[in-house]
Structure formats: C-alpha cells, structure tokens
C-alpha cells in the first residue's frame, strides 16, 4: 500500500498538471502551471471539503505552495487476509475508471437490486442513445411500471461513464424519503436530503462567496423548497451532470414557480430526466413546455412538436404495450367486471335517513324526533 508523507517540498517549485499541492491549508489538484513575470502561476481545482471543485490560481511568490512529493511515498506490505485491502483498492480504481462514451452496452444497471425487465432496459438505452447529444428523456410510463427503477438505472450508467459526478434530484415532498431510500438500497447511490434548514446550515458552514449547492455532489431536495426565489440565483450559477425532476407534470404551467425552477435547472445540466405518469393533461401547450425543457429545438415557435424528436425524447408505455405485456403480462391481476351489490341499510342508518327527511329546508324539525 502507498502513503505520501505530508508537507514535503521538492526544493524549487516543480509542479505540473496532475500534481497535488497544499495551499492555504487545503489540498488542490493542479490543472495547469505556466511561468509568468511574477513566478509560476499554478491553476488548481479544490480537493478538500471546503474548496471541493472550486477553481483557483496561485502565484509562486505570493503563496506558500507545497507539492506532495511522490518520491517520499512509503511502500507498505498488505498484511490483510488474502490481500483484501489491496484487492478492494484495485476494485475501487477499476470501478471509478469510466467506460467509453460510445459503448452502448449497459454495464452496471443490470446487476443492481431489481428484477431484470427488458422494457426498463430499453428506456435506459434510449436515454443513453448516441442519437441524443445529451442524455435527456421524459419517462412517462404508467403507474406501476417502475419509473423510479428506470431513473436509478440511468443514473447508475451515467456514473459508470464518468458523467454522473454531480447529481440533483427534485421531487415532491411526500416522495422525498422514498426516492432517497430507493437510490441507496437498490443502486448504492447516496444522496444528501436537504430542506430549508439544511441549506441554511450549509450556508453557515461555507464562506459567503461559496455556492451552497456546491458542497454536496449528490443531493435530493423537495420542489417546494427549491422553487423559492432566494435559491434561484445560486442555482443559475451551479452546473450539474444530471438533474432528475419527478412528477414533472407540475412543471407545465409557464407562470408557476415550478416551471421557473425547471427553466433554471434545464440549461445548467448535461443530463435531464423528467418523470411523470400523466405528462399530458389534454393541453398541447402544456405538453410542449415539457418537451421544450428537454430540447428547445424540438418545439417550433408556433408550438408544434417535432414527431421525430418526440420518439427520441419520450418513453410512454402502459400495461398492454407489447414489450411490457411480454414481461409482466401474466403478473397483472385482471380487473373484475363491475358488480352492483344491494346492501340493506341497518336500523341505525334508517333512523338517520328518516330524521333528515323529517327536517324542514331551514333545518328546523317539523315534528319531535329522537335521532341517535
């Protein structure tokens, strides 16, 4: 196993892209180093918690830049049973190595804690298809077909391809905990659940110049919290690798806060997944607004939707769809014919009905009754 000793300088500053340095009590990854009149200019990206993903630049003569020296690395033997620690380390490195973007095969989502259903896999393949410049899709399967599973599968594949480092999930408050639970237990994707109090604590923890949505790489927040106007400016300045918006039929009203939130998030993410069992409320304009969030060019200025783009951007199935029926046709319980059954009223119910009948329209009793 390897360990780099801290605070070991190399003498004259000798860093290059890929080096790790310590500046101002934080660790940074060097992205570029170029000589200037004021010495070496080192451009970096933050690694420590408080500066994670923050870009900065330091001059050699103005800051104390301490590189981590690879030559000071100490080699230690792995004394764990059957080299367990070394094997786990190698496995973690392999899992973090992205697979080629052009590889259309599903790599990890088929081995998660869920039943293998081909129609769900086809939705994931459509979302990751090379026909889409960016993974953007509306999951509009009917209730019970597993849209949450499809969301988890898409996110898992994006993470495996190195395109899911920063993920935001926006859901109604009543499904917030369930979505977080499903992502963790089925797909090993941890999300930090935040509310207004949680976001305020983050703002108190970070410097005033830091975006509060930059602290956690993967967060799940309710729509009611996030749509507040005080957060929109922070969201405009924050880029995400993937954004998921559940119950997206709530976004169709162009004058609502929900729609304003979606219009802020959609341009600031590479992948966008909308989910709704009822995406069309009968209004052409409302449905076009959902498609416009996914791909603005798919909707003409007159509001007409490109049918070819619609095939790429929307997945809509029900229990009788051929690919669904092949998988779960026998598992659906057939609805029984409607039956009208006459049930005799009890004496107590008859007494109440009679009591109401004997009252005048102004609710004053016509005659003396005893109602219990």
């Amino acid at each position: 196993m390897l360990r780099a000793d801290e605070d070991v300088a190399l003498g004259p500053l000798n860093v290059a892209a890929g080096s790790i340095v310590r500046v101002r009590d934080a660790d940074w990854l060097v992205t570029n180093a170029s000589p200037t009149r004021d010495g070496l200019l080192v451009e970096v990206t933050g690694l420590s918690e408080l500066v994670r993903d923050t870009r900065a630049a330091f001059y050699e003569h103005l800051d104390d830049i301490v590189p981590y020296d690879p030559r000071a690395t100490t080699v230690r033997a792995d004394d764990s049973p059957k080299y367990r620690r070394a094997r786990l380390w190698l496995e973690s490195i392999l899992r973090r190595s992205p697979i080629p973007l052009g590889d259309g095969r599903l790599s990890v989502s088929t081995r998660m804690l869920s039943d293998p259903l081909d129609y769900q896999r086809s939705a994931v393949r459509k979302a990751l298809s090379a026909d889409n410049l960016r993974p953007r899709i509306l999951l509009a399967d009917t209730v019970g077909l597993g849209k949450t599973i499809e969301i988890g599968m898409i996110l898992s594949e994006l993470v495996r391809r190195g395109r899911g480092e920063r993920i935001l999930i926006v859901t109604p408050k009543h499904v917030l905990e369930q979505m977080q639970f499903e992502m963790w237990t089925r797909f090993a994707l941890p999300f930090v659940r935040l509310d207004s109090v949680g976001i305020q604590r983050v703002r108190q923890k970070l410097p005033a110049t830091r975006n509060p949505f930059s602290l956690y790489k993967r967060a799940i927040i309710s729509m009611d919290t996030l749509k507040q106007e005080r957060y929109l400016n922070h969201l405009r300045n924050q880029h995400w690798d993937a954004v998921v918006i559940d119950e997206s039929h709530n976004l169709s009203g162009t004058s609502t806060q929900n729609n304003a939130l979606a219009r802020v998030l959609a341009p600031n993410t590479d992948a966008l997944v909308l989910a709704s069992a009822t995406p069309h409320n009968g209004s052409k304009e409302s449905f076009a607004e959902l498609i416009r969030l996914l791909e603005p060019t798919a909707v003409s200025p007159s509001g007409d939707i490109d049918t070819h783009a619609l095939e790429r951007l929307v997945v809509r199935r029900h229990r009788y769809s051929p690919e669904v029926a092949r998988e779960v046709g026998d598992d659906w319980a057939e609805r029984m014919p409607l039956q009208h059954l006459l049930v005799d009223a009890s004496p107590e119910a008859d007494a109440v009905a009679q009591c109401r009948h004997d009252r005048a329209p102004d609710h004053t009793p016509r005659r003396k009754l005893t109602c219990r």
Side-chain angles (χ1 to χ4, degrees):
M1 305 298 289
L2 304 179
R3 180 180 63 85
D5 294 334
E6 296 186 358
D7 300 332
V8 179
L10 295 176
L13 187 60
N14 182 19
V15 296
S19 301
I20 298 178
V21 297
R22 189 166 186 85
V23 188
R24 300 183 184 180
D25 297 326
D27 293 336
W28 307 81
L29 175 66
V30 177
T31 58
N32 187 41
S34 54
T36 67
R37 294 181 178 179
D38 296 324
L40 195 64
L41 173 62
V42 182
E43 299 176 27
V44 295
T45 300
L47 297 177
S48 300
E49 182 178 5
L50 292 179
V51 297
R52 184 177 296 133
D53 297 328
T54 300
R55 296 181 180 180
F58 302 110
Y59 283 98
E60 176 184 6
H61 293 162
L62 297 179
D63 288 285
D64 185 15
I65 304 175
V66 180
Y68 286 99
D69 187 358
R71 294 173 298 184
T73 300
T74 302
V75 179
R76 293 183 177 180
D78 183 4
D79 55 359
S80 61
K82 298 182 179 181
Y83 307 106
R84 180 187 304 162
R85 285 198 295 269
R87 293 168 62 189
L88 288 175
W89 181 79
L90 291 173
E91 179 70 16
S92 66
I93 294 297
L94 290 174
R95 293 193 179 193
R96 289 200 302 267
S97 301
I99 63 176
L101 295 178
D103 191 344
R105 294 173 299 176
L106 302 185
S107 57
V108 294
S109 60
T110 56
R111 299 194 297 270
M112 296 300 180
L113 191 60
S114 61
D115 295 331
L117 299 175
D118 286 339
Y119 73 86
Q120 293 177 342
R121 296 176 183 176
S122 68
V124 180
R125 292 189 184 96
K126 177 176 282 193
L128 303 177
S129 172
D131 295 336
N132 296 325
L133 294 178
R134 296 184 294 177
R136 293 182 166 236
I137 197 166
L138 169 60
L139 300 177
D141 287 340
T142 190
V143 175
L145 295 189
K147 290 185 294 297
T148 302
I149 299 298
E150 293 171 356
I151 290 172
M153 294 174 71
I154 292 173
L155 295 181
S156 298
E157 293 294 339
L158 290 176
V159 171
R160 187 65 182 87
R161 286 162 171 75
R163 305 176 68 178
E165 186 69 12
R166 299 189 55 81
I167 302 175
L168 172 66
I169 297 181
V170 184
T171 73
K173 186 178 297 184
H174 66 276
V175 297
L176 198 67
E177 185 175 353
Q178 178 187 354
M179 178 69 78
Q180 182 192 33
F181 179 80
E182 295 285 342
M183 292 299 107
W184 170 242
T185 58
R186 292 184 183 274
F187 302 99
L189 293 174
F191 284 85
V192 177
R193 189 167 77 242
L194 293 176
D195 54 12
S196 299
V197 176
I199 296 176
Q200 185 61 29
R201 289 175 180 172
V202 170
R203 298 185 68 175
Q204 293 175 354
K205 182 177 182 180
L206 294 177
T209 55
R210 283 290 305 277
N211 193 317
F213 297 105
S214 65
L215 179 60
Y216 298 111
K217 293 185 176 181
R218 294 170 186 168
I220 179 170
I221 310 174
S222 75
M223 186 174 296
D224 291 336
T225 297
L226 210 56
K227 71 182 181 182
Q228 300 178 43
E229 190 172 349
R230 55 179 170 169
Y231 299 133
L232 293 184
N233 189 49
H234 293 298
L235 292 172
R236 290 189 184 96
N237 299 319
Q238 184 63 48
H239 182 80
W240 305 90
D241 294 324
V243 170
V244 177
I245 304 180
D246 197 14
E247 304 289 343
S248 57
H249 52 268
N250 297 320
L251 311 176
S252 56
T254 55
S255 60
T256 63
Q257 287 182 308
N258 293 342
N259 182 263
L261 170 63
R263 285 176 174 268
V264 169
L265 293 176
N268 288 341
T269 179
D270 183 35
L272 177 61
V273 180
L274 306 180
S276 173
T278 55
H280 207 304
N281 60 1
S283 171
K284 175 183 175 181
E285 292 76 14
S286 297
F287 184 67
E289 179 62 21
L290 292 181
I291 302 302
R292 192 179 288 111
L293 291 173
L294 296 171
E295 188 173 310
T297 58
V299 182
S300 67
S302 62
D304 295 327
I305 303 176
D306 184 353
T307 55
H308 296 290
L310 204 61
E311 295 178 358
R312 293 187 292 104
L313 298 172
V314 179
V315 175
R316 176 64 171 171
R317 281 97 45 107
H318 52 79
R319 56 172 296 188
Y320 295 110
S321 299
E323 57 179 336
V324 177
R326 285 194 300 267
E327 292 284 336
V328 295
D330 295 337
D331 295 335
W332 288 95
E334 291 293 338
R335 179 174 295 179
M336 300 297 293
L338 183 63
Q339 299 183 33
H340 297 279
L341 301 178
L342 181 61
V343 179
D344 295 332
S346 64
E348 292 79 4
D350 283 335
V352 172
Q354 184 65 31
C355 176
R356 291 178 178 173
H357 175 72
D358 290 335
R359 287 183 180 272
D362 60 354
H363 302 287
T364 59
R366 290 175 176 163
R367 58 187 177 84
K368 186 176 181 180
L369 292 174
T370 302
C371 298
R372 296 183 181 179

